[in-house]
Amino acid sequence: ADLANDLGNTVSRVAALCRQAFGGSPEESCADNEVLEAYRQALSAEAGLSPVKPAELQFRIGDSYETLNEGDKAVEAYLKIPYLYPQEKNWVIKAYLRAARIFENGEKWEEAKTIYDKIASFDTEEAKYAHERIDWLNQHILQDASNQD
């Protein structure tokens, strides 16, 4: 238990220090980032050693990439959650929401809609939001794109 707490505390401290030191825009690459490495180590630790669930660690990896403005890597990390941890519904939905937002910010409308369709299939509050985004995309973006063809 002490080892698990130490590992969790270390990950949190490293994450806080790196975010504080980098101010959200570090100059070093993601591969060299201590936060990502700490999360990866915690994720690969023997089951039960980390007090943080693997799905949450994977989400934090995506979040770290997003903080580093590495949208493609963030989406890749987020989309591992529904694949690897489908039983973690809350983390799956959070990951989908983040991925959809990144796609929208990058004007990848079809990809965003595909993700929102996945969210809409859940029986949650987020499904209502996903339906609203789908409607907006259909009315403002996707309809305009089909009219230009």
Side-chain angles (χ1 to χ4, degrees):
D2 289 337
L3 178 60
N5 287 333
D6 289 346
L7 181 59
N9 291 336
T10 299
V11 169
S12 296
R13 277 196 307 271
V14 170
L17 290 172
C18 285
R19 285 205 172 103
Q20 181 182 9
F22 296 143
S25 58
E27 294 184 13
E28 61 183 281
S29 72
C30 287
D32 296 330
N33 189 300
E34 292 180 29
V35 173
L36 287 165
E37 187 55 35
Y39 289 150
R40 282 191 198 102
Q41 287 178 3
L43 194 56
S44 66
E46 189 176 323
L49 285 184
S50 174
V52 181
K53 288 183 174 186
E56 182 178 353
L57 289 169
Q58 186 64 46
F59 185 88
R60 289 180 183 187
I61 289 170
D63 186 54
S64 296
Y65 278 126
E66 197 174 352
T67 299
L68 296 168
N69 294 316
E70 297 274 354
D72 290 342
K73 290 180 180 179
V75 167
E76 183 180 327
Y78 288 136
L79 293 183
K80 284 182 180 180
I81 295 169
Y83 179 74
L84 296 173
Y85 313 105
Q87 71 282 5
E88 297 287 346
K89 186 168 85 168
N90 289 336
W91 289 111
V92 168
I93 292 170
K94 287 180 183 185
Y96 277 149
L97 287 169
R98 290 286 187 93
R101 186 186 69 212
I102 292 169
F103 283 140
E104 281 199 60
N105 290 343
E107 298 184 0
K108 295 179 179 178
W109 309 116
E110 288 292 340
E111 291 89 339
K113 184 179 180 296
T114 297
I115 298 296
Y116 286 129
D117 284 336
K118 292 177 186 294
I119 299 167
S121 71
F122 287 92
D123 184 24
T124 63
E125 286 295 315
E126 291 85 357
K128 180 181 176 186
Y129 172 77
H131 284 293
E132 290 171 2
R133 295 306 304 150
I134 292 166
D135 290 346
W136 186 88
L137 287 169
N138 286 334
Q139 291 173 7
H140 295 92
I141 304 295
L142 301 175
Q143 181 181 14
D144 292 343
S146 65
N147 288 339
Q148 292 176 1
D149 291 341

